[in-house]
Amino acid sequence: MQHADWGTIYPYLVWALTAIIGLGIVLASVGKRLHIRRLPAIDAIEEAVGRATEMGRPMMFVPGLAGVDVPTFQAIAIAGHVARLAARYRSRIILPVTDTVILTMAEQVLREAYAEGGAPDAFNPEDIRFLSGDQFAFASGVVGLMNRERVAANFFFGSFAAESLILAETGQALGAIQIAGTPSTLQIPFFIAACDFTVIGEEYYAVTAYLTREPILLGSVWGQDVCRILLASLIFATTVAQKFLPPIVLKFLGI
Amino acid sequence: MFAPLQNPTINFILVAVALIISVVILIALNSSPPYVRRWVIAGVTFLVGLYVPLEFYIPRHNFLTVWRDPLSDLVRVLAGFTIGLGIVNLVIVHGRHVLQRTANLPFSLAFFVGFISMAFVGFLHRYKPELWAQKPSEGELAFWSAAYKVFFEGLLLPLTSTVFSLLAFFIVSAAYRAFRIRTLEAGLLMAAAIIVMLANVPVGTWLTSWLPQEGWLKWLRLENASLWLTTQINAPTMRGILFGAAVGGLGAALRILLSLERSFAFGGQG
């Protein structure tokens, strides 16, 4: 069984970073005003929902290939916000999933989002569809749905693999407005090439904070930014100083 | 921690008790007011979410480690139940198309034929591979095992490979759009792509093979330029994005653990 090695810097670093993010949340909850920079891709979500409504065609939200993990949870949270916007216009969202655990979670989140958006009757449970647990069977299922339903907007948020380009290029060929966000670094270039807007890297985890502007979520994003500055400084400092540091310190730093 | 019980009667009683408890919990959750449901879900999320890091960060085998396997078994059992929900979802969606004879009827019929035949052949292959068939001779597969092989290796795998191979065409069309030189960035992208692509084919390395292998001119050889681009430009950029995403993931995990994400406040905002 694996456990943390407290003889290295890593466990201390993870707890320190967690504490900084927690501090950001606390600061925000006591009323500190925090700013988050503009993310054009997220601003475009409302435009995409509006365009789909005008065209009278549905939207598709693909929450990636992974099962229960942090990127998928984040994707479902974003789907909830998109559904709240869609409910305002009584638009339809189709959400295909590849994992049955996500199916139940997504159905619950979207049902409540439509209810909060003031259109509980516009929610159709059949639009949350389990297609397949197999990567390419899922991809062909999504492509088929896109073509048959003539979707006007596509949202790709979550962990993706080789199927990312198959999905995004099909949407591009259909003329759908496409917004993507993924922490899967290898798929980012494909989404940039085939989608209208793409959020990359850490922006992916800031989407819900950006959309809701809730102070507590903004606080966590502020904490993450402080963590990144500290990590970058640590990398720079240890790179410069490694020639002068004693072996025991280098071992602790994992160099 | 929990060794499998050998006594079938006790096993049956335990399964029945577990099912009754599950149904009682389900009914209690469904009939409770939204704010109670929200607090129950937030509490369970927090406790289970806290268990994993605590177990990992307390050094060596600790008092929490004994619960690791039972907990992962529990997660597997819960996931197993949801597979049934997935099948129900598929049957409802496609059943409606069949009953109402919509335009999607052929696709739904294909689903039912594929689903039922694969399940039928799979079960027989697993439990009764020689049912209604002659006993196979030495070295031959039983009838239903051979049928399963045809379904899996002869149908499913080629279909999967076919979808995967479509990627080649999609890459060409995406690359065409990405490489249209309209901005400085697109120009740089095009130049880098040409260098890396040429360096990966024999004719590319041949083009600059006349350049010296030592001295500063060696960096103009395509294989060296490509290596420099991938290891000194591409890899650090990717790692930088990964670093940012990893810290973002930590923040998102903390928000989920503390039930701060509004979308996961199941049961209403009560």
Side-chain angles (χ1 to χ4, degrees), chain B residues 102-236:
Chain B
T102 64
N104 293 330
L105 176 69
F107 305 109
S108 297
L109 282 178
F111 160 74
F112 279 115
V113 170
F115 178 73
I116 292 167
S117 50
M118 193 75 188
F120 182 74
V121 171
F123 274 116
L124 287 179
H125 156 67
R126 179 77 178 80
Y127 297 106
K128 292 269 180 202
E130 290 165 21
L131 190 72
W132 308 318
Q134 285 180 336
K135 207 173 167 61
S137 41
E138 188 70 27
E140 276 187 354
L141 280 174
F143 179 79
W144 291 109
S145 296
Y148 178 76
K149 205 171 154 117
V150 169
F151 270 70
F152 192 75
E153 287 178 21
L155 277 171
L156 186 66
L157 290 185
L159 284 172
T160 305
S161 307
T162 307
V163 177
F164 182 49
S165 65
L166 289 175
L167 199 58
F169 300 99
F170 286 131
I171 285 177
V172 173
S173 63
Y176 169 73
R177 260 197 319 280
F179 291 161
R180 273 180 299 183
I181 306 172
R182 285 180 300 191
T183 59
L184 176 66
E185 289 90 341
L188 287 172
L189 185 71
M190 183 71 186
I194 286 173
I195 291 169
V196 174
M197 281 194 289
L198 277 177
N200 278 290
V201 288
V203 70
T205 46
W206 172 79
L207 280 173
T208 53
S209 58
W210 53 273
L211 285 166
Q213 297 212 2
E214 292 302 323
W216 67 270
L217 273 176
K218 77 172 179 183
W219 294 109
L220 294 178
R221 290 174 69 103
L222 277 173
E223 65 272 25
N224 290 336
S226 165
L227 188 71
W228 182 81
L229 277 170
T230 48
T231 59
Q232 307 299 312
I233 303 289
N234 190 38

Side-chain angles (χ1 to χ4, degrees), chain A residues 1 3-4 6 73 77 84 100 104 108 112 116 126 128 130 136 148 162 169 205 208 214 217 220 228, chain B residues 55-57 60 68 82 85 89-90 96 104 164 167 173 177 244-245 255 261-264 266-267:
Chain A
M1 299 248 180
H3 284 96
W6 289 88
F73 268 60
R84 230 165 267 134
T100 48
T104 48
Q108 184 74 10
E112 292 191 2
E116 277 179 42
E126 281 186 28
I128 318 298
F130 169 67
F136 291 109
R148 287 194 299 278
E169 273 295 300
Y205 294 104
T208 48
E214 278 182 33
L217 298 187
S220 78
R228 281 183 205 102
Chain B
E55 194 278 324
F56 179 74
Y57 283 110
R60 289 181 287 281
R68 202 151 95 168
T82 61
L85 289 176
N89 179 278
L90 280 168
R96 190 177 58 78
N104 293 330
F164 182 49
L167 199 58
S173 63
R177 260 197 319 280
R255 291 199 299 261
E261 282 286 359
R262 200 159 158 252
S263 289
F264 290 110
F266 298 129

Side-chain angles (χ1 to χ4, degrees), chain A residues 60-64 75 78 142 146 153-160 163-172 176-182 191 194-195 197-199 204:
Chain A
M60 183 172 278
F61 191 105
V62 186
I78 298 167
V142 174
M146 271 185 207
N154 279 325
F155 303 95
F156 304 111
F157 285 91
S159 300
F160 288 88
E163 77 292 344
S164 64
L165 195 61
I166 297 177
L167 308 182
E169 273 295 300
T170 307
Q172 173 79 27
I177 181 167
Q178 304 201 104
I179 302 169
T182 181
F191 278 137
C195 293
F197 299 94
T198 310
V199 289
Y204 177 71

